[in-house]
Amino acid sequence: MPQTLFDKVWDAHVVRQLDGGRSVLYIDRHYIHEVTSPVAFGGLRNRGIKIFRPDQTTATADHNTPTLNQDKPLEPGESKTQLDQLDRNCKEFGIVNYYGLNNPKNGIVHIIGPEYGFTQPGMTIVCGDSHTSTHGAFGAVAFGIGTSEVEMVFASQCIMQPKPKKMRITVDGKLGEGVTAKDVALYIISQITAAGGTGHFIEFAGSAIRGLSMEGRMTLCNMSIECGARGGIVAPDETTFEYVKGREHAPSEANGDWDRAVAYWKTLYSDEGAVFDKEYRFDAADIQPMITYGTNPGMGVAITGTIPAPVSESDVKALEYMGFAAGEAMIGKSVDYVFLGSCTNGRIEDFRLFANAVKGHRKAEGITAWLVPGSHIVERLVKEEGLLDILHEAGFELRQPGCSACLAMNADKVPAGKYAVSTSNRNFEGRQGPGARTLLASPLVAAAAAVTGKITDPREFFKK
Amino acid sequence: MSSAVPVNVENIDTDQIIPARFLKATERKGFGDNLFRDWRYTKDNQVIPDFPVNDKAKYEGNILVAGYNFGCGSSREHAAWAIYDYGFRVVVSSFFADIFRNNALNNGLLPIQVTPAFLSEIFDTIHKDSRAQFTVDLANQTITDNATGKSEKFAIDGYKKECLLNGYDDVDYLVTLRPEVENYEARRR
């Protein structure tokens, strides 16, 4: 029987099928961070058990770390306690792949995982973080779990879950100029709504998806949780193999592991005739640079569009929170903050896009811009590729790696009532700080806002 | 049997249930104080008295009733912990986000998905009488609006139902599977 890509990877990891549809699913790679792991470590201690496969866990500190003066001692308090505890927990439980604050490999968990080759096609990957869906870009089955499940993975390298339904979203055609993977993601969510993917795992297919870089595919899969899906997945291809090859934890070429791995990875695609529970098709030519106007990621429109009339009480509440009215154009709206970063758009490609766009322009007066690389590798490349000089000349500063203003757990908070064009993933009420108003967009739209101080169509502004 | 507290808002995400700035604790306790923090308190930490969860004179009970797509967004289990710690044992909605549903079930909090029509009737019943009673029967998987006598059956995974009824623990079970997991690993090599 023809199988989907998702079925192939999931089925290969079922240790035991339980009555009632649950599977005991083996997990190849477990990522952890400081916020959702402490209670799970506490659980192990209470039970007096060790981590079953500590080598398969990679740990980093990212959610709650400062993005300035990382080398300076942290102020005593809850954040410091949480980071110290991660350090103690990793040492006590023998997690050797631990990259805490000030480790040269520290960074956002979903950025460093792929960068160091921990993420590979065909794997099952979990983390106590909903944006674990990012790793699906490699043809892995990757999804977020709760802290109880983090403890389950520690205890047995397995979790118990029912198999989700399968959805395929095909985007064919060529993306227009100024249209990025982020716009594809926001467009899809605006079409199928913020709950449209719930219960499903989404395979992204079609020529427009094939044409995306690994960075672009990661952005797209990252956002799959924002339509409620368990995760997103893209069939691995030469683009994938090229990215993984030679990375520190990738299969070794010297001993033949690499060739064996690639031979297996090449079998990971949805067979002709494979059946999905739900299918959507979109035309790449219909996708414009996008921006959100409300308080869930499904409330997005083309940047040249207007705010739709509310259809529910919740929509009314959202517009009230945002200080917007139905019928207003997005173009020209005033912006206070710009945030480039996060596991959605904190990769080198995003910094290239932003820097090349602002080259020769100046940051607008009154704009506070936070440019936060996703990892030290991204930070280093920004410097090596000369992007930092471009950014400095345009009046921008680079901060240090971390999740930062995406969830505003650290000091990077947008003040109440202020508007932030953000390359992150969520525009929920208060997500970027109590009362903050978030407009999700691509790095290119963020660049245009940063130099004009308002919402601007990047295709017009950066026209050569 | 209990009365219920209504929060008639759709797409309540886990950032509303427990904002990120309250995720810094390293132990599982006290999260209930910050449940729906930014809807219960003003910027200056003044109580917003008419938010239903604060309006204890009017609403009480261990059932939380909320709009469509409850618990979307972040995977933070703190959301389920906060709701449980506050004293709720059941959440009723017409739709739940996947990760939240799982997290709730792993923490003794029962998510009950009802039809949109029944949800709307439940809100109406509470609107008419804020102390209206509802009966949840986990064994038979039904929820009843005592005022109208209407009842709906809800779905729950059989294994999770056993866990909730008997207090079983997933981790204990999985630890007993370690030899089987080792066999699986050996097979794959």
Side-chain angles (χ1 to χ4, degrees):
Chain A
M1 197 176 122
Q3 277 189 304
T4 67
L5 162 62
F6 173 79
D7 286 324
K8 288 180 183 178
V9 179
W10 177 281
D11 293 353
H13 290 84
V14 174
V15 174
R16 175 188 275 210
Q17 191 61 48
L18 303 173
D19 294 340
R22 291 196 161 228
S23 306
V24 175
L25 191 73
Y26 188 80
I27 301 303
D28 293 314
R29 177 58 53 194
H30 185 202
Y31 294 116
I32 63 167
H33 61 82
E34 75 276 28
V35 176
T36 55
S37 66
V39 171
F41 280 111
L44 296 182
R45 260 184 220 108
N46 290 342
R47 294 170 199 275
I49 56 175
K50 292 183 163 42
I51 294 186
F52 184 53
R53 294 288 179 250
D55 294 351
Q56 285 168 243
T57 291
T58 299
T60 188
D62 55 3
H63 280 59
N64 201 1
T65 55
T67 56
L68 289 175
N69 303 317
Q70 289 186 344
D71 56 321
K72 302 236 165 63
L74 295 167
E75 300 274 324
E78 286 179 314
S79 298
K80 180 172 163 36
T81 304
Q82 207 169 45
L83 294 169
D84 289 348
Q85 185 138 359
L86 179 69
D87 196 76
R88 271 201 309 278
N89 285 338
C90 287
K91 283 175 184 147
E92 181 184 335
F93 286 92
I95 295 173
V96 291
N97 296 316
Y98 162 57
Y99 310 124
L101 187 62
N102 287 318
N103 184 299
K105 294 179 182 172
N106 173 257
I108 301 177
V109 63
H110 307 309
I111 301 223
I112 65 167
E115 279 180 345
Y116 291 100
F118 287 113
T119 294
Q120 295 166 23
M123 282 184 162
T124 46
I125 300 173
V126 295
C127 173
D129 188 282
S130 59
H131 292 110
T132 310
S133 58
T134 309
H135 308 271
F138 291 80
V141 166
F143 52 91
I145 56 175
T147 298
S148 296
E149 291 167 306
V150 171
E151 191 181 338
M152 294 180 210
V153 181
F154 281 158
S156 67
Q157 205 57 35
C158 292
I159 57 164
M160 286 189 280
Q161 284 210 357
K163 192 178 188 178
K165 291 185 208 162
K166 288 149 291 183
M167 178 186 289
R168 180 161 60 188
I169 296 181
T170 306
V171 187
D172 276 319
K174 196 171 170 328
L175 294 174
E177 203 187 340
V179 179
T180 68
K182 181 63 164 292
D183 302 302
V184 176
L186 289 173
Y187 176 78
I188 290 172
I189 303 163
S190 77
Q191 296 295 307
I192 74 172
T193 80
T198 306
H200 292 78
F201 219 94
I202 302 176
E203 178 173 349
F204 294 104
S207 56
I209 308 299
R210 293 257 77 85
L212 292 174
S213 65
M214 285 316 295
E215 284 84 353
R217 294 178 193 183
M218 283 189 256
T219 300
L220 180 63
C221 288
N222 172 280
M223 293 288 287
S224 55
I225 180 72
E226 305 311 333
C227 64
R230 294 296 278 126
I233 190 167
V234 175
D237 58 10
E238 290 302 327
T239 305
T240 321
F241 310 148
E242 188 61 32
Y243 181 99
V244 176
K245 194 172 187 173
R247 293 190 183 259
E248 189 179 330
H249 293 271
S252 156
E253 290 171 70
N255 63 11
D257 281 354
W258 173 257
D259 290 335
R260 274 189 292 277
V262 172
Y264 170 57
W265 296 345
K266 285 183 173 171
T267 68
L268 299 176
Y269 53 84
S270 286
D271 297 328
E272 190 74 39
V275 177
F276 292 82
D277 297 283
K278 205 158 192 180
E279 290 228 45
Y280 289 98
R281 279 184 177 277
F282 297 108
D283 185 346
D286 291 339
I287 306 176
Q288 311 289 316
M290 297 285 293
I291 193 150
T292 64
Y293 59 87
T295 55
N296 76 58
M299 301 175 85
V301 287
I303 195 161
T304 52
T306 54
I307 297 171
V311 294
S312 70
E313 278 299 310
S314 301
D315 289 352
V316 172
K317 186 171 180 284
L319 290 189
E320 208 169 283
Y321 180 84
M322 294 300 290
F324 291 159
E328 289 176 355
M330 292 307 291
I331 296 276
K333 283 196 175 297
S334 174
V335 174
D336 308 296
Y337 282 72
V338 168
F339 172 52
L340 174 68
S342 85
C343 58
T344 311
N345 282 123
R347 295 180 194 82
I348 185 60
E349 192 175 272
D350 304 310
F351 280 79
R352 284 183 196 133
L353 205 57
F354 188 97
N356 288 324
V358 301
K359 190 175 184 175
H361 297 277
R362 285 292 298 178
K363 180 176 77 66
E365 294 268 336
I367 284 278
T368 302
W370 291 331
L371 277 49
V372 185
S375 71
H376 288 297
I377 290 189
V378 175
E379 185 183 35
R380 196 189 70 222
L381 289 174
V382 167
K383 289 175 184 164
E384 283 177 7
E385 294 183 9
L387 304 178
L388 188 60
D389 297 333
I390 296 173
L391 292 170
H392 280 166
E393 272 168 39
F396 295 95
E397 300 289 333
L398 191 68
R399 296 170 83 98
Q400 291 169 300
C403 297
S404 179
C406 173
L407 82 167
M409 240 188 118
N410 69 356
D412 308 344
K413 291 180 173 62
V414 175
K418 297 292 182 190
Y419 290 98
V421 170
S422 179
T423 66
S424 55
N425 39 60
R426 288 184 178 140
N427 50 356
F428 298 153
E429 282 185 29
R431 171 81 178 183
Q432 297 195 283
R437 293 157 161 172
T438 302
L439 302 111
L440 299 175
S442 75
L444 208 52
V445 171
V451 297
T452 61
K454 55 192 187 203
I455 296 175
T456 303
D457 188 340
R459 294 168 300 189
E460 295 296 319
F461 189 75
F462 297 122
K463 202 151 51 181
K464 291 279 157 11
Chain B
M1 198 169 80
S2 168
S3 51
V5 181
V7 181
N8 195 356
V9 178
E10 292 177 355
N11 296 309
I12 296 179
D13 57 78
T14 52
D15 278 79
Q16 307 318 315
I17 299 170
I18 181 110
R21 59 189 190 280
F22 301 113
L23 307 185
K24 296 182 183 184
T26 50
E27 287 176 77
R28 194 195 141 167
K29 59 181 186 200
F31 290 105
D33 294 343
N34 295 314
L35 174 66
F36 293 123
R37 180 77 200 190
D38 294 339
W39 290 354
R40 281 170 62 204
Y41 297 90
T42 65
K43 286 191 246 343
D44 322 312
N45 276 327
Q46 300 300 308
V47 176
I48 300 173
D50 58 350
F51 183 68
V53 177
N54 284 340
D55 194 351
K56 293 200 169 97
K58 191 166 176 189
Y59 302 110
E60 62 169 21
N62 60 22
I63 302 174
L64 177 67
V65 185
Y68 176 83
N69 198 26
F70 186 82
C72 57
S74 147
S75 65
R76 62 189 68 161
E77 197 159 311
H78 311 69
W81 299 340
I83 295 170
Y84 189 94
D85 187 50
Y86 188 85
F88 292 112
R89 294 296 176 267
V90 172
V91 188
V92 178
S93 175
S94 56
F95 198 81
F96 289 94
D98 286 332
I99 302 181
F100 176 81
R101 180 198 296 270
N102 224 14
N103 286 343
L105 288 168
N106 283 336
N107 287 280
L109 180 68
L110 176 63
I112 296 184
Q113 183 168 327
V114 296
T115 60
F118 194 49
L119 182 69
S120 152
E121 285 176 29
I122 292 174
F123 278 126
D124 282 348
T125 297
I126 302 170
H127 184 69
K128 283 181 195 134
D129 172 9
S130 65
R131 296 298 172 92
Q133 299 287 306
F134 298 88
T135 305
V136 173
D137 180 346
L138 176 57
N140 291 310
Q141 299 176 220
T142 57
I143 174 165
T144 306
D145 180 339
N146 295 8
T148 63
K150 274 205 179 168
S151 183
E152 234 183 54
K153 208 162 164 73
F154 59 86
I156 180 173
D157 179 283
Y159 172 80
K160 292 317 295 188
K161 180 174 164 180
E162 287 294 303
C163 287
L164 283 178
L165 286 171
N166 302 314
Y168 289 165
D169 183 299
D170 286 332
V171 175
D172 291 340
Y173 172 71
L174 284 170
V175 169
T176 67
L177 291 189
R178 278 180 176 189
E180 197 170 327
V181 176
E182 282 169 348
N183 285 339
Y184 168 85
E185 289 174 329
R187 263 203 321 276
R188 281 219 309 171
R189 260 179 223 118

